[in-house]
Amino acid sequence: MSGQNFRVAADLRVARDVLNTEAAGLLSLAASLGAPFGQAIGRLATATGRLVVSGMGKSGHIGRKIAATLASTGTPALFVHPAEASHGDLGMIVAGDAVLALSNSGETTELADLVAHARRFALPLVAITARPDSALARAADVALILPRAAEACPMGLAPTTSSTMQLALGDAIAVALLTRRGFTAADFRQIHPGGRLGARLRRVRELMHAGEAMPLAEPAMPMSAALVLMTEKRFGCLGVTGADGVLLGIITDGDLRRAMGPDLLSRQVGDIMTLLPRTIGPDALAVEALHVMNAHERPVTTLFVVDAAVRPLGILHVHDLLRAGLA
């Protein structure tokens, strides 16, 4: 093995050891959860204000991410730096708030003023720490104790496994609160309106073309007129409705190719339409529409949007999803 290949192999061994060590820590954390976790969620869920997250050093970096995750999943949250808290930012923490404090050792001196502030105003205080006998654990209403686990650093010093467990436990708290509050995809969209995620959570009714834009015809329409209508509407298809307005079928470019012959223009729409076309409801998510379009061996580029009685309300084209940033 060449020197370069040996180095690459050694790097891969290190990387896998790190990931395996951290994975073992997460499994240990999952197994260690018990009644205190439920108690912590209960206290945090009853807070009428914000969930204030704080931590110093690496715990602070993890805390910022936890606060962001909480805020984006329906739990109003903010991060307060413990050192800045001692110089005026304690004013950001008010009655009705709850506090989530992170410290692996539980003895972070910079947290002292923030913890004292929470105790002074009887704010719910939940701690994440590795030491059940630490000052932070003793001061907290509920202490979530990280299990003993080896750091992935070969010296056993750099916060690696411990910070990974903090991060994962923060995610568990955020998702438990989300579930308890009944936070829905619609709620999620309200605070994620931008980017691809916002597009995935848009409703079909927001993207569809309605009214005169829809290419619709009755079964008795001659194909000579149907082709003109298809060309005018520019969706590459034609919906076929009965006298009661119910969608009976669809004619696509593929149907036209299959029906091609010298008598095509003299035939009626009902003769060549495909029955029971794929449809979707107006309140479905845009991402569901994309799934319906691609769900079969033959993907389609358009969907009619119908009500409960299968009457067309609009039409959706894959280009609408592309413009919305979804497809």
Side-chain angles (χ1 to χ4, degrees), residues 17 79 154 190 204 313:
D17 285 345
F79 178 83
Q190 293 299 316
V204 166
L313 301 174

Side-chain angles (χ1 to χ4, degrees), residues 53-64 79-86 100-105 107-112 114 128 136 159 163 166:
V53 185
S54 190
M56 193 71 187
K58 301 297 187 296
S59 293
H61 294 306
I62 297 299
R64 289 182 187 276
F79 178 83
V80 174
H81 193 285
E84 297 295 338
S86 299
L100 177 63
L102 288 73
S103 170
N104 193 48
S105 70
E107 302 293 345
T108 303
T109 57
E110 290 87 351
L111 281 170
L114 189 147
I128 295 178
L136 178 60
S163 57
Q166 286 181 333

Side-chain angles (χ1 to χ4, degrees), residues 219-230 238 251-252 255-256 259 263-273:
M221 176 181 279
M223 283 303 302
S224 56
L227 287 172
V228 173
L229 182 59
M230 287 179 66
L238 184 68
I251 294 178
T252 66
D255 294 316
L256 292 178
D263 63 340
L264 174 62
L265 297 182
S266 62
R267 297 176 69 180
Q268 294 184 337
V269 164
D271 297 333
I272 68 169
M273 70 179 181

